[in-house]
Amino acid sequence: MEKPAAKISLVPPPDRRQSETALAVARGTARLLRSLGFSCIGELPLPSGRRADLVALNERGEIWIVEIKSSVEDLRADHKWEDYRAHCDRLFFAFTQDVPHEIFPKETGLIVADAYGAHLLCDAPEHRLPAPTRKLMTVRFAIAAAARMNRLVDPQGHGEF
């Protein structure tokens, strides 16, 4: 019998809901994360059923989640990020310089970004994951990354399941 978590597709189809601003912030933030020694994946489904904007993993097994906010209204309208803390060691918000940093929760890290790069404005407090959650997130990350790479290499070999 298949476990309920296994039914969540780790390679979701692009939903095209992201604004140009959000896509630019994601690109610049991913560049910053790579410079800090992390690999990252966008739109990774979490065990809770939520989907994180960016999930980053480094060689020490640290897992960071970055929630992208393109405006003040975006932050006020969306509180799904509150569930993300259970799936990462550190939680960040990434946003453009046009969004005031004072509106973000104090217990999160802050990243100011554009399409070309990003700056770590404030580090996030660490809250270490329990070992079983870390393993689950690391495996989800690896499976999603491999599946996405395989789709790039062999697009015709991946029909809809």
Side-chain angles (χ1 to χ4, degrees):
M1 185 164 157
E2 193 171 308
K3 295 179 184 178
K7 293 181 181 178
I8 298 171
S9 173
L10 294 179
V11 187
D15 63 13
R16 313 245 190 270
R17 290 181 298 176
Q18 293 83 10
S19 67
E20 290 300 316
T21 301
L23 292 171
V25 169
R27 178 180 163 192
T29 301
R31 288 179 174 187
L32 171 68
L33 292 169
R34 283 191 298 275
S35 77
L36 296 173
F38 286 84
S39 295
C40 63
I41 271 193
E43 298 296 323
L44 182 68
L46 302 173
S48 65
R50 302 277 190 210
R51 192 162 39 169
D53 292 334
L54 287 175
V55 177
L57 175 69
N58 69 13
E59 66 183 14
R60 292 184 308 274
E62 292 176 292
I63 298 171
W64 292 5
I65 291 181
V66 181
E67 174 69 357
I68 295 169
K69 293 297 173 197
S70 57
S71 66
V72 174
E73 295 77 24
D74 187 12
L75 177 66
R76 289 183 180 149
D78 178 9
H79 291 274
K80 294 186 299 271
W81 62 268
E82 295 171 355
D83 297 336
Y84 298 168
R85 188 176 310 283
H87 305 291
C88 63
D89 295 305
R90 295 178 192 259
L91 178 62
F92 293 83
F93 281 99
F95 50 93
T96 67
Q97 64 183 4
D98 300 328
V99 178
H101 68 6
E102 298 83 11
I103 67 170
F104 294 98
K106 302 287 185 234
E107 66 277 4
T108 60
L110 302 177
I111 297 170
V112 179
D114 61 22
Y116 304 101
H119 171 73
L120 188 61
L121 184 66
C122 171
D123 204 357
E126 184 179 56
H127 46 275
R128 300 287 296 168
L129 285 173
T133 304
R134 181 174 314 286
K135 179 179 178 184
L136 176 64
M137 285 298 295
T138 303
V139 169
R140 290 176 82 80
F141 188 99
I143 290 171
R148 292 176 190 189
M149 182 61 77
N150 286 331
R151 283 186 180 206
L152 287 173
V153 172
D154 184 13
Q156 293 79 26
H158 294 272
E160 294 304 315
F161 303 176

